[in-house]
Every structure is written in structure tokens, then in C-alpha cells.
Amino acid sequence: MEFSLIDRIRNLTAQHRDDVRLGIGDDAALLTVPTGQELAVAIDTIVEGVHFPVGTDAADIGWKALAVNLSDLAAMGATPAWALLALTLPSADSAFVDGFAAGFAQLAQTYRLALVGGDTTRGALTISVAVHGFVPPGKALARAGAQAGDAVLVTGTLGDAAGGLRCVQNYRHSDDAQTRYLIERLNRPTPRVAAGLALRGRASACIDVSDGLLADLGHVCAASRVGAELDAALLPRSSALLDLFDESTSRDFALSGGDDYELCFTVPAQQVAAVQADLAKLGCGATRIGRAVEGEGITVRDRDGHPLASRRPGWDHFNA
Ligand code: ADP
Ligand code: MG
């Protein structure tokens, strides 16, 4: 049974690449890293009931398992190439596996990413994906590197996934287009791979927003030994989020909600306009939300310039 599941996955995700000398089917895959490139590798696990609601569609789970990992490559400015998939399933459910593989493959095709191996075991529904990508030496986007005075920007909009989760929790599934939009943002996040590539050599620091803006920008600040000042009025929020939630709820979602998978990055102030013009061409756009400052910690100011009371910084699995 395990083997027929693996065959289904292999068939549904088939993607030819010249740099895959041996893919699924042997004891290990054999891969050729292009000459003169560094290998960027990352792994992320998603667990039912923790990272996606119980009852999420199999294809959405497949998409999201890969998307959260591609988001890490995007945040490094790496070009995706290969993935490994460790699948833990409660039962040998071939319908689930087919749906999962279809969602995974749909996103993988966009990047010609090849699934080159994995592992299949029985247990509570848990999916680990490891991704591998290429980046020219010295060009990766690190968390360290932001300088006081740099502008802080974020791609796309923030808080949509938290809004979508609230809708799911309230059993608002497809009442209207806005609810569907937010739930789609939760279940099918768009990894900002092209934006990450465009930021190579330009962003002084970069991270993907998986645990909430304050938590993730906090990591950039700590690694870069700077603080940040954000202007709450500038936080980019979708019209769906603003229409379905009141101002303070949507602001909290944008500051502390997880699962958006946008990029938060810093650039020298004089380069903001050029970077924004380039990211606008890629469709996601980027909004300036504040600046890096001397010191430490993040201050968020309201419309009148008053600091907002500090709040839950973001999601911490061991501190929930
Ligand atoms: P082994 O016992 O040598 O680890 P497995 O039976 O676990 O071999 O896997 C057989 C082949 O199928 C290997 O090439 C492995 O990488 C691949 N594989 C197993 N599970 C998956 C999966 N969920 N997705 C992709 N490839 C898989
Ligand atoms: Mg194995």
C-alpha cells in the first residue's frame, strides 16, 4: 500500500529537470548543483489542527505544505529547484493523497520544482517538506544587515490569513466573495519568490512573515541589532479584511496574525521608489510601513504618532 501511494505521488508530481540525475525510487536522490551557485535549503512541517484547520481540503494542504517552504526560499532570494516530502497519514487514504499531490504539483509546476524523494509513514496527519534552491554566492538575503535609517517594507497585504482563520472558526465558509478571498489567502498562500529574486543585491535584510509581522520583523531587528518604528496607518490591508473586520481587529491581524507569507524587508531610503516600482511590476507591490532606528524593539505608532500599547507579538508554538 505504501508503495502504491508513493507511485501516485510520483506520477502526479512528475517534473523533468536535467539537474535531477536520480529522483523518487532509489535509496537517495542524486542531484547536480549548478556550478557557481550556493545551495539554499529549508524545511517546514505543517500539522493538522495547528497549521491548517481540521477538514481543510487535501489539495489546499498540498499547496500550503509547499508554499510555506517556497516562502523561506523567497525570503533568501533563492531560485527553487527540488523538494523532499515526508508524509505522515492516519490511514492509506489514496483519495487524500491524490488531492494532496494535485495541490502540491499545481504550485510546483509554476517553478518547475521537482519532487525528488521523501518518506511515507502512519500517524497523525503531519507533512514536512524540505526545499532546495540556488543563489549566487554572497547574494542571499539574510535577516542581519538592516541599518538604522533604512526603510521597512512589506509585500502584498497583511492579516488576511488571520482573518480567513477567524472566518473558518466562525463557520463562515463561502457566504460571500470577501470571505472566500480571506480563506483562500489562508489555505493557498502565494510565496513571493519573484519578489525575493528582485530584492537580491538590494534589500539590506529580508524575512518572510509566517508568525506575524511583529514577531518576524523582531527577528530582523535582533539579527541586525536595530530597532524599528512602524506607522499603523500604513499597514497594507485588503479591502476584504477592512470590510469584514473593524479597524482595531484588522490592525491586530496585520501586526500579529500569522500565515501571510509576505516578505518583510529593509532597503536604504533612497532606493525605496525604485524597488517599489519593480515589485509593482511583479504584481504583489510593496508598501513602506516604517523605518529601522538605532536601539532595539519595535514601536508602532497610531495616526497621531502615539505608541500603541504592546500586544501579543506573534505565534510561538511553545508559548501559546
Ligand atoms: P527507504 O526505505 O529506502 O527509505 P522508502 O520506501 O521510504 O525507501 O521510499 C522509496 C522511495 O520513494 C525513495 O526514493 C523515497 O525517496 C521515495 N518516497 C517515499 N515516500 C515519498 C513521498 N511521500 N514523496 C516522495 N517520494 C517518496
Ligand atoms: Mg524511507
Side-chain angles (χ1 to χ4, degrees), residues 230-237 247 251 289 300-303:
L230 302 183
D231 188 342
L234 298 179
L235 293 169
R237 283 168 280 175
E247 168 62 25
R251 189 178 63 198
I289 57 172
V300 184
R301 295 186 192 283
D302 67 13
R303 230 169 264 282

Side-chain angles (χ1 to χ4, degrees), residues 22-319:
L22 198 53
I24 293 173
D26 215 305
D27 294 314
L30 294 174
L31 309 166
T32 310
V33 181
T35 319
Q37 298 279 310
E38 281 180 343
L39 193 59
V41 299
I43 184 166
D44 251 323
T45 299
I46 63 173
V47 178
E48 182 175 51
V50 180
H51 301 88
F52 56 91
V54 174
T56 301
D57 180 68
D60 289 340
I61 299 170
W63 174 288
K64 188 163 181 175
L66 180 57
V68 303
N69 279 281
L70 291 177
S71 179
D72 282 321
L73 289 185
M76 296 302 288
T79 305
W82 313 311
L84 297 168
L85 167 64
L87 200 51
T88 305
L89 300 169
S91 66
D93 180 347
S94 52
F96 177 88
V97 166
D98 287 355
F100 177 93
F104 184 101
Q106 200 185 343
L107 182 58
Q109 268 162 20
T110 313
Y111 302 103
R112 291 190 45 254
L113 174 135
L115 181 64
V116 298
D119 196 26
T120 307
T121 53
R122 185 192 290 260
L125 183 57
T126 304
I127 301 107
S128 291
V129 174
V131 284
H132 309 70
F134 310 137
V135 64
K139 290 279 186 265
L141 304 172
R143 294 178 182 190
Q147 307 274 328
D150 285 354
V152 177
L153 290 89
V154 65
T155 59
T157 56
L158 294 173
D160 292 330
L165 180 61
R166 181 68 60 84
C167 292
V168 173
Q169 286 167 339
N170 292 345
Y171 303 102
R172 280 176 67 105
H173 279 281
S174 53
D175 313 32
D176 56 83
Q178 289 176 316
T179 303
R180 282 197 300 276
Y181 175 80
L182 295 183
I183 294 174
E184 180 89 355
R185 290 272 289 159
L186 172 70
N187 289 334
R188 296 226 169 193
T190 307
R192 300 302 186 188
V193 173
L197 296 180
L199 291 173
R200 271 183 191 166
R202 305 174 85 184
S204 49
C206 185
I207 193 167
D208 65 318
V209 182
S210 53
D211 296 332
L213 177 68
L214 293 181
D216 291 315
L217 177 58
H219 297 317
V220 166
C221 288
S224 301
R225 299 175 186 277
V226 294
E229 288 193 356
L230 302 183
D231 188 342
L234 298 179
L235 293 169
R237 283 168 280 175
S238 67
S239 57
L241 190 74
L242 290 169
D243 285 350
L244 293 181
F245 296 94
D246 64 33
E247 168 62 25
S248 90
T249 304
S250 74
R251 189 178 63 198
D252 280 358
F253 285 168
L255 286 171
S256 304
D259 264 7
D260 282 319
Y261 301 100
E262 297 294 346
L263 297 182
C264 177
F265 59 95
T266 54
V267 291
Q270 65 275 15
Q271 288 174 32
V272 170
V275 166
Q276 282 180 314
D278 286 350
L279 295 195
K281 284 181 214 144
L282 300 176
C284 62
T287 305
R288 181 186 204 151
I289 57 172
R291 62 199 179 100
V293 296
E294 307 270 357
E296 58 182 35
I298 302 172
T299 306
V300 184
R301 295 186 192 283
D302 67 13
R303 230 169 264 282
D304 305 316
H306 301 126
L308 296 174
S310 68
R311 61 198 61 250
R312 193 172 76 91
W315 181 250
D316 178 341
H317 283 278
F318 295 101
N319 206 358

